Amino acid sequence: MNAIAPTSEERAEKLQGLGCKRKRVEDIRFVQGKGNYVDDLKLPGTLYGDLVRSPHAHARIKSIDVSEAMKVPGVLAVLTAKELKPLALHYMPTLAGDVQAVLAEEKVLFQNQEVAFVVAETREAAADAVDLVEVVYEALPVVIDPFKAMAPDAPVLREDIKDKTDGAHGKRKHYNHIFTWEMGDRGATDAAFERAEVTIKELISYQRVHPSPLETCQCVASFDKIRGELTVWGTFQAPHVIRTVASLISKIPEHKIHVISPDIGGGFGNKVGAYPGYICAIVASIVTGKPVKWVEDRIENLSSTSFARDYHMTTEIAARRDGKVTGLRVHVLADHGAFDACADPSKWPAGFFNIVTGSYDFPVAHCEVDGVYTNKAPGGVAYRCSFRVTEAAYCIERAMDILAQKLGMDPAELRMKNLIRREQFPYQSALGWEYDSGDYHAAMQKAMDSVGYPKLRAEQKAKQEAFKRGETRELMGVGVAFFTEIVGAGPSKNCDILGIAMFDSAEIRIHPTGSVIARLGTKSQGQGHETTYAQIIASELGLPADDITVEEGNTDTAPYGLGTYGSRSTPVSGAATAMAARKIKAKAQMIAAHLLEVHDDDLEWDVDRFRVKGAPERFKTMKELAWAAYNSVPKGMEMGLEAVNYYDPPNMTYPFGAYICVADVDVDTGATRIRSFYALDDCGTRINPMIIEGQVHGGLTEAFGIAMGQEIRYDESGNVLTASFMDYFLPTAVETPKWTTDWTTTPSPHHPIGAKGVGESPNVGGVPCFANAINDAFAFLGSTHIAMPHDHWRTWTVAERLGLHAA
């Protein structure tokens, strides 16, 4: 008896393609401790580098004496700016068009700034020698408050550019000013405010925080003097960009530089840019002719590598009395620290902050951002967000709650009144973006129905009455947030890094037996790329995902790409993967037509094969075509089955979500309990629901940390007060709430598979949702806005300020 042929559905399920909850193939090595990280690399003769760092936030360097350090057994060299300057390596270019000191020359500008680099045969010797480098400092006045940075009597921070009137983005207003950037129609927005029936204005600050990945920044540099070639292994989110920057700085030809990113223990934006430790390790390897390893410790990571946020947003909304918004006006003071090393596309000094209109139909808007220098560590990375989108989302979502409070409206009702309608897509925002697709009202309604929103508000009202009667000392807050993110940077028409367009790439090669290797220009730091890219290829080419190997992170083998950050992997590299697969499929169709002796147009695709239209029993599977591609191609066709695609997206993608949080606050202790958190995300086509779930859980946990305690704090002298996990809040399983996740699906119309990206959405939407819950708890007592972070002490002080504690 002949076996029954599997159906199309059964064959599709076997592929484990799009929509399948395929287990992460990466986890096989990770859970067994078999990951391959930078510090696992053991090269013969490896030397170790360690940095001498400044104890001062602002000081003049009077002298550096390395003589005692050089006496430590095993120490081979101590590099300072004096050694780097003749090589023009004492400064390096930043992604933001500024320059940053590799090793401080005349001044230090933030605590723990790099001053000297010790090279030794062991880590212990290097650490001992660091303590023996004698640096004489002359302390200078410190500027920590960005609001004081441009005062007439403020100390000059960047003496190297104090007389420059032009910056990377136009005229400078002050010697501590970096740029002014604005978008929108100022005149029309001012007119809307003059006509407005209701307005609100609030300073909404998003504190300085840090991505704090599990693995710190580190590298191994190895220079081959015979071949004149440099190989660098490192924790790089964008290996190709690091290679280009290394070539520009060192003048080594780019084809003689090999950059490799092995497994990376988290990035979250922290590992996008170049750090002085990388440059010093490279120089030390060139000088010594041996591999040099640099691994930073946690204090160095928290205090000196790229921070995030530190945005101070004066926000105004104009509206009618019925709640319809008529205008938005925002001015931002952005604290960039000692150097402008923000990891933003070149033309966007404030990133994509002009998504600040959010999910709402503002007819007019204007935003202006002023960047300033202070005596803090440089940076400004997209900590699990796309280029200042989290700041923008927090800004507009807090402002909408403040407006609702002033109008006496429910926050969800105000949002429903102003959300962009489905029929308005593609939607042109007042600040220049074209949102691709969405059904915001359906998502918001689903969220409200899922949590029983009217019952929550009734319960809250009852608790407020009980609180007034003295029957409880606990307040209940219901936080609502609806966000639109902008990801998939990006289109070459408006996105580049150092002049390189922000495309991305994929190379797919099918072997004769039907197995596949795919190499991509992105680099996973835990997102599950090896799993999801294979699923895209499986659905496109009809080959099982288990037969597909995905490689990233090696500039010798991967096509040039701009890396992984800003949720750009699926929107850009995922699209490149699909397009490369379709090139292969087109060639395979011609081979199938040749073998089946029909015209190309007489074939149709069926899951994993091409079959003759009207004669489905005549077909060639993709596996059969892979073999034929190496022996039976049509006359004049090249052998093989492979393709490369460089994808330049026509537009960004715009994932969105509706979040609702319920929090209980004890006014006597300030302790906050997150009772429930519901997160609905729309990321377009869902590639792997299980991986999406993991990404949402991780992003919400980071959002919880930011909203409820994280802050890089400084005293007036510029000392970092939160340079270890003893002081910097990192949520554990004990503190982290339970998450309820949900979704709607609105595919992107311009993406090859309709995907939008999801990895950063929960951080973007989660932070304002937590903050709105805390603020909502106190709102009925007359409180308008409580600044983050909402740790127990600060929440207690809010209750104290409102007179809720006994005398």
Side-chain angles (χ1 to χ4, degrees):
M1 182 181 292
N2 293 330
I4 299 173
T7 64
S8 296
E9 291 76 13
E10 290 170 334
R11 286 185 280 118
E13 184 177 351
K14 190 175 180 180
L15 295 177
Q16 292 190 297
L18 295 179
C20 173
K21 292 184 177 181
R22 184 184 182 221
K23 290 184 178 180
R24 288 173 29 128
V25 298
E26 301 89 329
D27 292 347
I28 296 172
R29 66 180 186 273
F30 291 151
V31 299
Q32 297 182 69
K34 302 296 184 183
N36 179 34
Y37 298 92
V38 172
D39 204 31
D40 293 323
L41 187 64
K42 312 295 183 186
L43 298 180
T46 296
L47 304 177
Y48 298 87
D50 202 350
L51 284 157
V52 177
R53 296 179 179 273
S54 168
H56 298 276
H58 193 199
R60 201 168 302 283
I61 297 174
K62 306 298 288 184
S63 65
I64 302 176
D65 184 353
V66 305
S67 58
E68 291 301 313
M70 288 297 298
K71 294 177 184 178
V72 175
V75 171
L76 301 183
V78 180
L79 301 178
T80 67
K82 179 181 176 182
E83 285 72 43
L84 298 185
K85 193 170 184 178
L87 304 173
L89 292 175
H90 59 311
Y91 276 91
M92 63 181 183
T94 72
L95 297 179
D98 198 358
V99 292
Q100 177 177 344
V102 176
L103 295 175
E105 182 183 15
E106 297 177 351
K107 286 207 314 181
V108 291
L109 290 166
F110 62 95
Q111 189 179 61
N112 280 346
Q113 183 177 348
E114 303 82 358
V115 176
F117 189 73
V118 176
V119 184
E121 293 174 349
T122 66
R123 282 179 174 167
E124 294 77 13
D128 288 344
V130 161
D131 292 336
L132 295 176
V133 175
E134 296 182 5
V135 185
V136 178
Y137 297 97
E138 177 190 338
L140 297 171
V142 172
V143 180
I144 291 300
D145 186 346
F147 289 92
K148 298 177 181 178
M150 291 199 293
D153 58 348
V156 178
L157 302 186
R158 291 289 300 279
E159 293 180 356
D160 58 314
I161 58 171
K162 68 178 186 299
D163 297 324
K164 285 185 66 175
T165 57
D166 293 316
H169 302 281
K171 294 291 183 183
R172 300 174 68 209
K173 301 176 180 177
H174 185 276
Y175 44 78
N176 290 334
H177 181 248
I178 306 172
F179 64 81
T180 297
W181 178 80
E182 61 180 315
M183 292 289 288
D185 189 328
R186 183 190 294 268
T189 303
D190 290 346
F193 274 85
E194 291 173 4
R195 298 190 301 267
E197 296 175 346
V198 179
T199 63
I200 62 107
K201 182 176 182 178
E202 189 70 49
L203 173 61
I204 300 172
S205 289
Y206 199 135
Q207 74 275 17
R208 176 175 285 232
V209 296
H210 194 279
S212 52
L214 183 63
E215 180 190 28
T216 60
C217 297
Q218 43 199 265
C219 74
V220 176
S222 180
F223 185 71
D224 185 331
K225 289 191 174 184
I226 304 299
R227 299 166 62 94
E229 294 186 354
L230 172 68
T231 303
V232 185
W233 294 262
T235 50
F236 308 133
Q237 292 184 228
H240 286 93
V241 176
I242 292 294
R243 185 184 70 184
T244 300
V245 171
S247 179
L248 292 172
I249 293 173
S250 69
K251 305 303 186 292
I252 298 172
E254 195 163 356
H255 70 283
K256 290 198 170 189
I257 299 177
H258 317 284
V259 175
I260 301 168
S261 290
D263 290 327
I264 297 179
F268 314 116
N270 186 230
K271 297 168 181 173
V272 173
Y275 294 115
Y278 302 159
I279 307 301
C280 291
I282 291 170
V283 173
S285 181
I286 293 172
V287 170
T288 63
K290 294 185 178 182
V292 176
K293 179 180 285 190
W294 170 70
V295 176
E296 67 175 3
D297 63 28
R298 182 58 60 186
I299 289 176
E300 291 175 307
N301 182 256
L302 282 169
S303 63
S304 64
T305 61
S306 291
F307 71 94
R309 322 306 190 236
D310 216 340
Y311 255 38
H312 308 274
M313 305 165 285
T314 301
T315 310
E316 301 174 83
I317 294 179
R320 301 195 307 242
R321 288 192 181 88
D322 66 359
K324 182 63 178 173
V325 296
T326 57
L328 175 68
R329 190 163 56 195
V330 183
H331 177 267
V332 179
L333 189 63
D335 187 337
H336 284 224
F339 306 96
D340 186 7
C342 284
D344 291 320
S346 302
K347 301 181 183 70
W348 304 87
F352 300 154
F353 184 79
N354 52 322
I355 196 75
V356 71
T357 52
S359 311
Y360 310 109
D361 186 18
F362 280 95
V364 293
H366 180 263
C367 75
E368 183 177 19
V369 182
D370 278 305
V372 297
Y373 292 119
T374 62
N375 290 122
K376 298 178 184 175
V381 296
Y383 172 10
R384 203 158 185 157
C385 85
S386 184
F387 308 122
R388 304 294 188 174
V389 173
T390 295
E391 291 92 323
Y394 176 65
C395 174
I396 188 59
E397 288 305 295
R398 280 298 305 126
M400 289 297 282
D401 260 31
I402 293 167
L403 176 62
Q405 183 178 350
K406 184 164 186 177
L407 291 168
M409 289 182 68
D410 181 88
E413 178 189 351
L414 178 67
R415 286 169 170 79
M416 289 289 271
K417 181 181 284 286
N418 289 288
L419 288 171
I420 300 163
R421 300 185 306 278
R422 182 176 182 177
E423 62 271 18
Q424 290 179 276
F425 290 95
Y427 174 80
Q428 193 71 34
S429 81
L431 291 177
W433 297 116
E434 184 182 283
Y435 295 19
D436 52 359
S437 63
D439 192 343
Y440 292 177
H441 288 86
M444 188 71 213
Q445 191 61 56
K446 184 177 183 181
M448 294 169 68
D449 293 344
S450 297
V451 302
Y453 189 76
K455 289 184 179 179
L456 286 176
R457 287 299 182 190
E459 180 188 352
Q460 182 188 39
K461 183 68 175 176
K463 287 197 84 169
Q464 290 171 350
E465 295 302 321
F467 185 86
K468 291 177 182 177
R469 293 192 298 268
E471 297 170 3
T472 179
R473 298 293 290 164
E474 194 173 74
L475 300 177
M476 174 182 171
V478 181
V480 178
F482 197 104
F483 68 93
T484 295
E485 198 186 359
I486 176 171
V487 301
S492 61
K493 61 186 177 184
N494 54 21
C495 286
D496 70 273
I497 290 181
L498 298 177
I500 303 168
M502 293 183 71
F503 58 86
D504 229 291
S505 57
E507 175 194 277
I508 302 174
R509 181 173 299 163
I510 302 181
H511 302 311
T513 55
S515 63
V516 181
I517 185 165
R519 295 185 172 101
L520 299 107
T522 48
K523 177 57 197 172
S524 176
Q525 311 111 49
Q527 294 92 336
H529 288 181
E530 293 173 44
T531 304
T532 53
Y533 285 141
Q535 290 183 255
I536 295 172
I537 297 169
S539 287
E540 291 288 339
L541 292 180
L543 293 167
D546 287 345
D547 292 345
I548 301 168
T549 294
V550 174
E551 290 184 359
E552 301 175 296
N554 189 331
T555 59
D556 284 354
T557 57
Y560 200 108
L562 274 291
T564 295
Y565 42 86
S567 281
R568 63 186 307 276
S569 297
T570 298
V572 189
S573 199
T577 302
M579 298 302 285
R582 291 175 190 182
K583 289 181 181 179
I584 289 173
K585 188 189 288 186
K587 182 176 181 179
Q589 183 173 356
M590 289 189 282
I591 297 172
H594 169 68
L595 296 176
L596 294 167
E597 299 180 324
V598 296
H599 191 276
D600 300 358
D601 293 340
D602 293 329
L603 296 176
E604 61 185 3
W605 177 253
D606 178 29
V607 181
D608 61 352
R609 62 195 62 184
F610 284 104
R611 66 187 184 189
V612 178
K613 294 176 182 177
E617 71 281 3
R618 297 187 62 208
F619 62 84
K620 290 292 179 181
T621 66
M622 200 66 189
K623 195 160 189 174
E624 292 173 318
L625 295 171
W627 185 263
Y630 290 88
N631 59 51
S632 303
V633 299
K635 186 177 180 180
M637 178 182 283
E638 291 182 351
M639 295 286 183
L641 209 52
E642 57 188 65
V644 178
N645 184 262
Y646 288 85
Y647 184 77
D648 182 4
N651 189 12
M652 308 286 189
T653 57
Y654 296 80
F656 59 90
Y659 290 0
I660 298 175
C661 172
V662 180
D664 296 312
V665 181
D666 186 320
V667 299
D668 292 321
T669 65
T672 299
R673 177 174 63 93
I674 303 300
R675 190 197 310 176
S676 63
F677 196 104
Y678 171 91
L680 180 149
D681 281 280
D682 193 313
C683 61
T685 300
R686 293 163 61 83
I687 298 171
N688 185 320
M690 186 165 59
I691 285 184
I692 291 172
E693 184 92 353
Q695 288 290 295
V696 172
H697 280 219
L700 288 174
T701 302
E702 287 182 303
F704 172 74
I706 292 169
M708 306 305 290
Q710 287 185 358
E711 182 180 19
I712 298 294
R713 292 188 293 113
Y714 296 79
D715 66 16
E716 292 183 356
S717 298
N719 297 306
V720 185
L721 303 179
T722 49
S724 78
F725 288 150
M726 291 292 290
D727 302 295
Y728 188 76
F729 175 53
L730 203 69
T732 69
V734 174
E735 297 91 7
T736 302
K738 185 176 184 297
W739 315 115
T740 300
T741 61
D742 206 345
W743 68 90
T744 58
T745 302
T746 313
S748 174
H750 63 75
H751 191 278
I753 62 171
K756 293 186 174 185
V758 74
E760 298 170 332
S761 291
N763 199 3
V764 171
V767 172
C769 192
F770 284 116
N772 281 346
I774 303 302
N775 277 273
D776 186 68
F778 288 98
F780 85 105
L781 297 169
S783 175
T784 302
H785 175 65
I786 304 166
M788 289 195 298
H790 302 295
D791 55 41
H792 294 181
W793 166 250
R794 295 178 217 215
T795 303
W796 184 91
T797 60
V798 170
E800 176 75 7
R801 189 173 67 245
L802 292 172
L804 302 181
H805 298 152

